[in-house]
Amino acid sequence: TMLRDYLFPLLLFFLIAHNVLACENPWTLTLSDSVGDGWSGGVLRIIKCDGTVMIDNVTLPFGFKSETQICFNSTAFIVSVSGERWGSEISWVLSDFWNDRKISGSGNGNVTRTCVGTVECLYQRWIVQLLSYPYDTGYDWAGNTLRIRDCSNQTLVSNLTINPMYRRENKFICIPFRGGFFIEVGGGRPIPLAWVLADPTSKIVASGGLGITSWKCTESACARPWSLQLLGSFITDMGWRGAQMTIRNCSNPSNILAGRAPCTLR
């Protein structure tokens, strides 16, 4: 009996300690009901992008609110809520240990975060919409591709182009946000085309066409910024009369550093 009384608390402590160590940074799941009668049979589950259920049948049996700490090893998931008759009364919030990632939802249905198909996205899911206008060979981008770099010039995604069957196509990309982006389109024939960049909340943050567009990347992000001044005739003051200039990389002439669409003085 003495051995049992000694070993049981020790075993219980080991199990609790093991569980805590297995989940160093638990997430907090908050369930709420605006009326105070619980979720009335509604349940919440958290599913991996490939369909594997990680957390199942979580509910608020009664009251206005409950908080539960949960542990799962995934950076992307789908939160599914079902079975609630009064969906307008219920809501939930899921926040990570550091409280810098929060997702939320209300009512019945699914809320997907950072899942691209069945693949987990380790970063945020951004949307690039590619647009094309008809020209002599159809709707494709005539060899042009889109590349996104961060402010330190590291390539995050490259070789995006439109399906020639569509005039408009959405591309879902998983990229980290480190303060801003350079969006560069080129490499093919100069044709009318456009693109739109939307953040993970589907808010449009940038748009453009051929050339390089900077979004929130300041000049200080460039290691050695240069200044370009265009001068016209001091007599006629009529600009360059259609003349254009591009700046290319000597080691890779196909890499246009500036002037796509080409620089000109109007």
Side-chain angles (χ1 to χ4, degrees):
T1 303
M2 291 180 61
L3 183 62
R4 182 191 63 191
D5 293 342
Y6 174 78
L7 289 178
F8 181 76
L10 186 63
L11 178 62
L12 182 62
F13 172 80
F14 172 79
L15 292 175
I16 294 173
H18 178 74
N19 184 62
V20 170
L21 291 175
C23 186
E24 295 181 355
N25 300 320
W27 291 63
T28 299
L29 176 62
T30 303
L31 307 181
S32 302
D33 183 273
S34 60
V35 177
D37 59 352
W39 275 24
S40 305
V43 294
L44 178 145
R45 62 169 48 182
I46 301 176
I47 311 166
K48 292 184 69 174
C49 298
D50 63 4
T52 304
V53 177
M54 296 185 291
I55 306 293
D56 200 6
N57 293 325
V58 179
T59 189
L60 177 63
F62 56 84
F64 289 93
K65 180 185 289 188
S66 71
E67 284 191 356
T68 306
Q69 286 193 329
I70 59 177
C71 180
F72 55 87
N73 297 319
S74 182
T75 57
F77 38 79
I78 302 169
V79 180
S80 171
V81 178
S82 61
E84 168 58 62
R85 290 186 302 166
W86 312 105
S88 61
E89 298 177 359
I90 69 173
S91 61
W92 55 268
V93 177
L94 184 62
S95 56
D96 69 2
F97 179 77
W98 304 106
N99 206 33
D100 60 2
R101 283 189 64 192
K102 277 190 176 183
I103 62 173
S104 60
S106 59
N108 294 320
N110 294 337
V111 175
T112 305
R113 288 294 184 273
T114 63
C115 282
V116 180
T118 59
V119 180
E120 290 192 13
C121 176
L122 298 180
Y123 306 105
Q124 295 176 308
R125 186 184 76 162
W126 295 68
I127 304 171
V128 178
Q129 185 176 84
L130 308 179
L131 301 102
S132 181
Y133 303 94
Y135 68 104
D136 55 353
T137 63
Y139 292 111
D140 67 85
W141 269 20
N144 291 290
T145 59
L146 182 144
R147 179 168 69 131
I148 298 178
R149 296 173 283 129
D150 63 17
C151 294
S152 63
N153 208 33
Q154 178 180 348
T155 298
L156 304 176
V157 65
S158 61
N159 296 322
L160 288 183
T161 192
I162 197 168
N163 186 323
M165 299 294 294
Y166 308 116
R167 292 185 60 181
R168 178 182 302 173
E169 183 180 9
N170 288 339
K171 302 282 189 179
F172 298 98
I173 55 176
C174 299
I175 53 177
F177 178 65
R178 302 188 180 114
F181 299 124
F182 290 110
I183 302 97
E184 178 181 358
V185 178
R189 291 169 51 194
I191 63 167
L193 56 81
W195 56 265
V196 175
L197 177 66
D199 68 12
T201 67
S202 298
K203 177 184 177 182
I204 295 176
V205 297
S207 62
L210 286 170
I212 301 175
T213 301
S214 172
W215 178 63
K216 289 193 173 182
C217 285
T218 61
E219 190 178 74
S220 60
C222 178
R224 292 183 299 171
W226 293 69
S227 177
L228 175 64
Q229 185 178 25
L230 305 181
L231 302 174
S233 170
F234 68 93
I235 299 175
T236 61
D237 194 25
M238 294 179 62
W240 278 12
R241 299 187 179 184
Q244 299 174 335
M245 179 189 73
T246 57
I247 301 175
R248 298 177 182 269
N249 190 322
C250 297
S251 60
N252 183 12
S254 64
N255 182 19
I256 297 179
L257 304 177
R260 187 192 285 136
C263 300
T264 186
L265 181 66
R266 302 185 186 278

